[in-house]
Amino acid sequence: MLPSGTTLEEVRNQFSWEIPEQYNMAVDVCDRWAISVPDQIAIIHDREDQIEEVSFAELRARSNRLANLLVELGIQRGDRVGILLPQNPWTAVAHIAVWKLAGISIPLFTLFGEEALEYRLKDSGSRAIITNHEGLLKLAPIRDKLNNVNQYLCIDETSESSLELLSELPRCSEQFETVNTKSDDPALIIYTSGTTGSPKGTLHAHRSLIGHLPGVEMSHDFLPQEGDKLWTPADWAWIGGLMDVLMPSLYHAVPIVSYRMPKFDGEIAFEFIQKHSIRNAFIPPTALKMMRMVWNKDKHKIHMRSIASAGESLGAELLEWGREAFDLWINEFYGQTECNMIVSSCGVLAPPEPGVMGFSVPGHDVQVIDESGISLQPNQVGQIAVRNTTPVMFLEYWNRPEDTREKYLDEWLLTGDTGMFVESGAIRFVGRNDDVITSAGYRIGPGEIENCLLGHPAVAICAVIGKADPMRTEIVKAFVRVNEGYEESESLILELQKWVKSRLSPHEYPREIAFIEEFPLTATGKIIRRKLREIA
């Protein structure tokens, strides 16, 4: 935990990492609390028609039963298990069970389409999938292609082609001896969008949880405090929901509220916070903007202790609104799937500066460097980099040694973002030096969308870029040249948008599509996306 202090420098000087050689996340987020405070509520699940409270004792019992079942089904150390579930106590149970047997869990977004799921499950070599009835229906068309997947486990109603956990688990023992793992042993693969080609599997070790904690504690004004209760609208399939909220809350025995919001709604968010007396939340900037649009000073009387936000820059207006609406400073933080929660503001230590994302979190050496790896002085723009000594650092890209090597310059992990230090010592985000799109808090790689579009018979050539947008920061825009025999039309645009939505995910579909005959090319024939952004 972060030591107490009145200034960031005081906190930083007192902080040091304590990374045990033997470490398993499942013990830290579940078993130790199940032993010391078994009746403590771990997860509060809002089903709309009823509230389910899961204690640490119940969390341990369920995860032990599931771990025993997985071992019975042949899942062993190092095996990958896909978890296709929304915010739900069973999502936490599934990850914990996989970690207990020294397996590797793979969170999968419930809005992923067939192509997105097929790629991730094949690339990871997943041997089992834990999902619900809705997930089984989505997986049904691609099951014949997933030869590596031997087991389908379902948390609710199911069919003969999968195992129903609610009927299988009662016969499994509540006792399970967690496998002895090292802190550097792999535990988690989260797929991240790249500039070109398919998404890359970011492999994380058990120590990653410890590495996340200082940034989580800082962004929530020294979590945990008496009475804290956490919630996020972010899906637990992303690193922001899973490792910035769910697992840190369990680590600190801070109750977390889970709820499947079909589509984010600002009014519902206010009602939800009031209903559950939420004290702490991670809310992406786009969601905050939507809440601001419906905010009523007399109606929405909210009492919270901390709000953290990331994915896009918080402007002065949003910060000031947060101060008025919640009587606190919204703390912006920064990181990426490979190396997360490395920069953060902390309102109780210093008011945030508009346009500045915060200070390097204690324990992380974050610098702005030039092309030679030399640290730059304040007000000099360079690439944001992180020294590879931090425990939050990923292990590698799954089965991609060359991509892993390219992510580093000597001892520095290159974020792909440019920035600069300001006089206060905080870091200002300037922009990306690659083509990854930032939209509503999601980082979206153009390559996967382009590959999907090229699968449509009407598309001859295409390129995808991010176009500036006041609400989402950027929207996905596609430029398309059609094949002979197809006409450029509004109906074709709608068809292509539906094509991407159904195969990848609704958050990745191109909100704008423009037809173009000639693409700007380099001498070697590569499309110059920068030129397309200029005409977008």
Side-chain angles (χ1 to χ4, degrees):
M1 289 177 59
L2 284 179
S4 59
T6 57
T7 67
L8 179 59
E9 199 61 32
E10 184 181 344
V11 174
R12 185 175 281 131
N13 289 339
Q14 296 180 72
F15 180 82
S16 62
W17 291 113
E18 295 181 9
I19 311 296
E21 182 179 354
Q22 303 293 325
Y23 180 74
N24 188 295
M25 284 193 286
V27 174
D28 243 5
V29 302
C30 177
D31 290 1
R32 67 185 177 108
W33 297 118
I35 294 170
S36 60
V37 286
D39 296 330
Q40 168 78 30
I41 299 302
I43 302 173
I44 302 164
H45 186 47
D46 189 329
R47 300 179 181 272
E48 294 187 340
D49 57 338
Q50 67 179 86
I51 303 297
E52 176 189 9
E53 294 186 341
V54 179
S55 68
F56 278 102
E58 177 65 16
L59 192 63
R60 185 190 192 194
R62 288 195 202 180
S63 59
N64 280 352
R65 289 182 187 274
L66 180 54
N68 279 311
L69 178 61
L70 290 170
V71 170
E72 179 184 310
L73 295 172
I75 304 302
Q76 304 173 4
R77 176 191 282 267
D79 284 347
R80 280 76 63 202
V81 178
I83 299 173
L84 179 61
L85 291 170
Q87 286 196 15
N88 186 297
W90 283 105
T91 309
V93 169
H95 282 286
I96 293 168
V98 172
W99 297 339
K100 283 185 173 185
L101 59 85
I104 300 173
S105 63
I106 304 172
L108 298 166
F109 191 30
T110 55
L111 294 183
F112 277 152
E114 295 171 15
E115 286 187 12
L117 289 170
E118 180 185 347
Y119 171 77
R120 287 158 176 80
L121 291 167
K122 279 185 174 179
D123 183 72
S124 63
S126 294
R127 293 196 57 202
I129 299 172
I130 302 171
T131 186
N132 55 12
H133 181 66
E134 183 181 337
L136 285 178
L137 293 176
K138 183 168 286 190
L139 291 164
I142 60 172
R143 285 182 65 153
D144 290 344
K145 303 176 183 178
L146 301 175
N147 297 325
N148 50 287
V149 179
N150 301 321
Q151 302 292 341
Y152 291 79
L153 294 84
C154 186
I155 68 169
D156 48 28
E157 58 179 298
T158 183
S159 63
E160 294 181 0
S161 60
S162 60
L163 291 176
E164 185 174 333
L165 291 184
L166 295 183
S167 60
E168 292 287 335
L169 291 184
R171 65 175 180 78
C172 299
S173 172
E174 288 187 6
Q175 303 303 314
F176 185 86
E177 186 174 346
T178 298
V179 175
N180 196 17
T181 55
K182 294 182 178 180
S183 59
D184 279 332
D185 283 348
L188 179 69
I189 296 176
I190 300 182
Y191 279 82
T192 184
S193 297
T195 310
T196 58
S198 302
K200 297 186 286 289
T202 306
L203 181 65
H204 280 280
H206 284 272
R207 58 168 162 76
S208 174
L209 173 61
I210 300 175
H212 274 83
L213 295 176
V216 173
E217 292 161 9
M218 186 170 168
S219 64
H220 284 290
D221 292 336
F222 293 92
L223 188 86
Q225 304 290 329
E226 184 69 28
D228 280 354
K229 184 187 288 186
L230 265 161
W231 169 70
T232 182
D235 197 280
W236 291 354
W238 304 107
I239 198 164
L242 184 67
M243 299 303 291
D244 297 357
V245 184
L246 174 59
M247 293 306 162
S249 72
L250 296 177
Y251 174 91
H252 283 304
V254 172
I256 182 167
V257 184
S258 60
Y259 173 62
R260 185 177 188 179
M261 189 180 293
K263 186 177 182 180
F264 187 84
D265 181 286
E267 185 62 45
I268 292 175
F270 275 118
E271 293 172 0
F272 187 85
I273 290 170
Q274 289 176 315
K275 174 182 178 181
H276 289 282
S277 300
I278 301 296
R279 286 246 296 171
N280 323 86
F282 162 44
I283 307 176
T286 298
L288 286 170
K289 292 173 186 175
M290 295 171 72
M291 293 176 71
R292 182 186 175 197
M293 290 171 63
V294 301
W295 180 64
N296 182 304
K297 186 175 183 178
D298 297 322
K299 179 181 179 182
H300 301 124
K301 296 180 179 179
I302 302 295
H303 302 284
M304 299 181 68
R305 193 182 68 75
S306 66
I307 297 177
S309 190
E312 309 158 47
S313 180
L314 295 174
E317 291 184 1
L318 201 55
L319 285 170
E320 289 300 328
W321 170 76
R323 188 72 170 163
E324 182 181 6
F326 303 104
D327 193 28
L328 52 76
W329 289 115
I330 299 171
N331 291 323
E332 182 175 347
F333 67 88
Y334 166 83
Q336 53 185 209
T337 306
E338 296 87 345
C339 191
N340 200 24
M341 295 296 303
I342 53 176
V343 172
S344 181
S345 56
C346 184
V348 298
L349 293 179
E353 304 173 59
V356 175
M357 59 189 184
F359 298 86
S360 59
V361 171
H364 307 299
D365 186 2
V366 184
Q367 298 291 329
V368 176
I369 64 174
D370 64 14
E371 294 179 354
S372 302
I374 304 300
S375 296
L376 299 174
Q377 297 300 309
N379 300 316
Q380 292 183 307
V381 176
Q383 183 158 186
I384 301 170
V386 193
R387 199 181 298 274
N388 61 8
T389 52
T390 169
V392 82
M393 188 76 63
F394 80 134
L395 292 168
E396 63 183 38
Y397 289 124
W398 183 256
N399 290 332
R400 294 198 180 194
E402 186 60 34
D403 287 333
T404 304
R405 284 190 291 270
E406 290 178 357
K407 189 67 177 174
Y408 291 92
L409 174 62
D410 298 326
E411 76 272 30
W412 297 106
L413 176 136
L414 305 175
T415 64
D417 295 328
T418 54
M420 66 179 184
F421 281 103
V422 297
E423 294 300 331
S424 65
I427 301 174
R428 182 186 300 277
F429 178 87
V430 174
R432 290 200 59 81
N433 60 5
D434 62 20
D435 296 310
V436 170
I437 301 161
T438 299
S439 182
Y442 296 107
R443 291 164 83 95
I444 300 168
E448 188 176 28
I449 304 172
E450 290 167 353
N451 289 341
C452 183
L453 284 170
L454 286 170
H456 191 284
V459 178
I461 301 175
C462 68
V464 169
I465 64 163
K467 178 182 176 181
D469 180 80
M471 176 64 75
R472 294 177 170 83
T473 300
E474 290 180 303
I475 60 169
V476 176
K477 179 168 184 174
F479 290 85
V480 172
R481 189 173 80 195
V482 299
N483 274 314
E484 188 175 343
Y486 289 87
E487 292 186 5
E488 302 171 1
S489 65
E490 187 63 32
S491 62
L492 179 57
I493 288 175
L494 294 174
E495 184 177 334
L496 293 175
Q497 289 174 327
K498 183 178 179 181
W499 177 271
V500 176
K501 269 187 183 180
S502 62
R503 284 162 173 78
L504 295 182
S505 175
H507 78 280
E508 292 184 288
Y509 88 94
R511 292 178 179 270
E512 289 187 11
I513 295 179
F515 295 110
I516 188 172
E517 283 298 319
E518 298 294 331
F519 284 83
L521 303 175
T522 66
T524 57
K526 293 182 179 179
I527 294 174
I528 307 172
R529 292 196 184 95
R530 172 178 51 83
K531 293 286 188 181
L532 294 176
R533 283 194 289 269
E534 292 173 2
I535 63 173

